[in-house]
Amino acid sequence: MDIKKIQEILKDEPKFRIKQVYQAVFAKFIENWDEVTVLSLALREKLKAECPLEIPAEILESADKNTVKAAIDYDDGKVEAVLMRHGENRNTVCVSSQIGCLLGCEFCLTGQGGFERSLNFYEIVEQVLFFARYLKKYNERVSNIVFMGMGEPLMNYEEVMKAIRFLNDKETFNIGARKISISTVGIIDGIKKLAAEPLQINLALSLHAPDDELRNQLMPVSKNNPLPSLLKAVKSYIERTNRKVMIEYLMLDKINDSSAQAQRLADLLKAGLGRLFMVNLISYNETQKFKTSPAAVINNFKKILEREGVEVVQRFKFGRDIEGACGQLAKQRAKNKTG
Ligand code: SAH
Ligand code: SF4
């Protein structure tokens, strides 16, 4: 499916007509041009021939159907998007922003798989559209979006923002900015730009270590984004948006999970951010050389943070049976390619 092509073909149509088509495709989620009866037959035939509405994808559902993974096919590769159904019409789609990732974090399957390219805004929108259609069968809608799939969203800033504006538009998906979250490895420039946007998007920071030394080992890009400046940028984000920031902390066995590290983390965040943040302790899905911390160690870590007055949650695990959790999506190349 090619959203740009739709825009091109309709460019000479009156404004209201274009609006009707957008509503049909991106608000009513029709899958066949014949359903758009406001268009002339000739135009429908042209659209059918030149912009088919199909989204080619392979889908994998967890046993309880609460997690659904889709590998969406582009000409030159695949990306994965994941739907997480939390009940009561709460449906979160985890989207990818790039095919692969340049940043090579040690613990991340995507990062270790290399980089193909960044996605265009309509390829990001397509991932949400895929699940919007899926949910239509259940009479439900996509309620939340998290940029926690493949890639670093702030390294593809313009297209990610275009996608967010499109998804936020009342005439199309109408997903509130407050229901959209960007997770970043900590790109300072990107966080600053995001803070200047008029939309109140949620920010999640993948911190994963309480000091630069360990961060630099785990996440090479941290060397150019050191903690003092990074936390300053995040603090400005909080002040500017008044939104609570999520600090993501992966629990890696014997790497970043000691009592001393918990204490250092609490001190760092209290001094660096002050207010409006919470820590999310994430169990590691063992895709790389690391192991996840044992439950007792996670509990101890959590207690220390709580004792220090830091708000802590533990990410609910979704879809382990299909390896569908966000953050462990591997780059897959098109079948006709090698390497
Ligand atoms: N590039 C962005 C967003 C994509 S990764 C970022 O790094 O934040 C989304 C989250 O998944 C990040 O917090 C990342 O550290 C985490 N993650 C990566 N590999 C993981 C794994 N194997 N298990 C659990 N979380 C993982
Ligand atoms: Fe890229 Fe995020 Fe994976 Fe790091 S954790 S390699 S930034 S996708």
Side-chain angles (χ1 to χ4, degrees):
M1 205 192 134
D2 188 340
I3 298 174
K4 267 207 177 135
K5 202 78 192 269
I6 302 178
Q7 290 173 327
E8 252 170 63
I9 294 179
L10 295 175
K11 69 177 186 312
D12 297 327
E13 292 291 308
K15 271 227 161 72
F16 75 92
R17 185 76 75 221
I18 299 176
K19 201 163 141 180
Q20 285 170 326
V21 172
Y22 267 57
Q23 277 173 344
V25 179
F26 301 112
K28 297 196 186 112
F29 312 124
I30 57 116
E31 294 184 48
N32 188 331
W33 285 116
D34 286 330
E35 292 177 59
V36 197
T37 46
V38 294
L39 296 177
S40 68
L41 191 61
L43 200 50
R44 271 185 267 156
E45 290 303 323
K46 190 174 164 71
L47 283 162
K48 258 195 236 174
E50 293 182 29
C51 349
L53 287 172
E54 286 88 43
I55 302 174
E58 234 172 273
I59 115 167
L60 204 58
E61 290 170 321
S62 65
D64 61 8
K65 299 221 167 176
N66 286 334
T67 310
V68 187
K69 181 156 87 167
I72 300 181
D73 251 316
Y74 300 115
D75 293 343
D76 56 349
K78 285 185 192 190
V79 290
E80 295 185 331
V82 183
L83 168 69
M84 292 164 282
R85 305 183 65 187
H86 319 262
E88 290 162 18
N89 220 348
R90 278 191 58 225
N91 298 296
T92 301
V93 176
C94 171
V95 294
S96 295
S97 55
Q98 299 180 309
I99 305 184
C101 184
L102 269 172
L103 304 180
C105 300
E106 291 289 330
F107 46 79
C108 175
L109 197 60
T110 306
Q112 295 301 307
F115 177 71
E116 195 87 15
R117 67 173 171 90
S118 286
L119 295 178
N120 301 313
F121 89 92
Y122 50 90
E123 292 170 323
I124 298 171
V125 169
E126 216 174 309
Q127 298 170 46
V128 182
L129 181 58
F130 181 85
F131 285 118
R133 289 178 182 175
Y134 177 94
L135 287 167
K136 193 177 160 186
K137 291 187 288 213
Y138 299 93
N139 230 350
E140 293 200 18
R141 292 180 72 98
V142 174
S143 60
N144 296 66
I145 294 169
V146 294
F147 282 82
M148 290 188 186
M150 293 165 72
E152 167 53 43
L154 297 185
M155 296 290 278
N156 185 18
Y157 190 89
E158 297 307 327
E159 296 298 313
V160 164
M161 281 315 298
K162 260 197 237 170
I164 289 177
R165 284 192 286 269
F166 194 95
L167 294 163
N168 179 242
D169 191 336
K170 292 216 161 36
E171 302 289 343
T172 62
F173 289 86
N174 194 19
I175 298 170
R178 286 160 167 252
K179 300 281 170 79
I180 300 176
S181 305
I182 288 184
S183 172
T184 177
V185 69
I187 309 292
I188 296 171
D189 285 350
I191 295 170
K192 285 183 180 162
K193 265 203 257 176
L194 201 61
E197 296 283 346
L199 294 174
Q200 281 188 310
I201 303 159
N202 300 309
L203 181 69
L205 171 68
S206 297
L207 193 66
H208 304 333
D211 52 70
D212 271 325
E213 200 188 336
L214 182 57
R215 269 196 114 230
N216 294 349
Q217 282 170 28
L218 296 173
M219 307 146 90
V221 70
S222 316
K223 289 180 197 126
N224 304 322
N225 295 275
L227 278 174
S229 328
L230 176 58
L231 291 179
K232 219 169 126 200
V234 174
K235 191 168 187 221
S236 311
Y237 190 88
I238 295 171
E239 280 161 4
R240 167 81 182 65
T241 58
N242 229 8
R243 301 292 291 156
K244 191 184 275 183
V245 163
M246 173 85 80
I247 303 296
E248 296 175 277
Y249 198 94
L250 214 45
M251 296 304 292
L252 301 171
D253 188 29
K254 297 190 180 71
I255 304 283
N256 64 356
D257 61 355
S258 73
S259 299
Q261 284 163 318
Q263 184 64 49
R264 212 176 305 150
L265 179 65
D267 295 343
L268 178 81
L269 294 175
K270 286 202 291 185
L273 300 181
R275 62 176 196 115
L276 277 181
F277 69 88
M278 70 197 289
V279 174
N280 185 5
L281 299 179
I282 308 165
S283 306
Y284 181 58
N285 289 308
E286 294 172 0
T287 57
Q288 297 298 120
K289 52 198 160 200
F290 302 100
K291 293 254 163 287
T292 192
S293 311
V297 174
I298 300 181
N299 251 333
N300 171 60
F301 201 92
K302 189 170 174 219
K303 281 219 178 84
I304 295 171
L305 290 175
E306 281 169 344
R307 193 187 65 208
E308 289 295 325
V310 171
E311 189 182 341
V312 196
V313 290
Q314 255 175 288
R315 187 189 277 176
F316 190 67
K317 274 185 238 133
F318 268 94
R320 287 197 73 102
D321 56 331
I322 62 165
E323 294 192 356
C326 289
Q328 53 160 335
L329 304 179
K331 180 173 73 91
Q332 295 177 25
R333 287 185 173 217
K335 287 184 199 80
N336 57 357
K337 274 193 158 185
T338 51

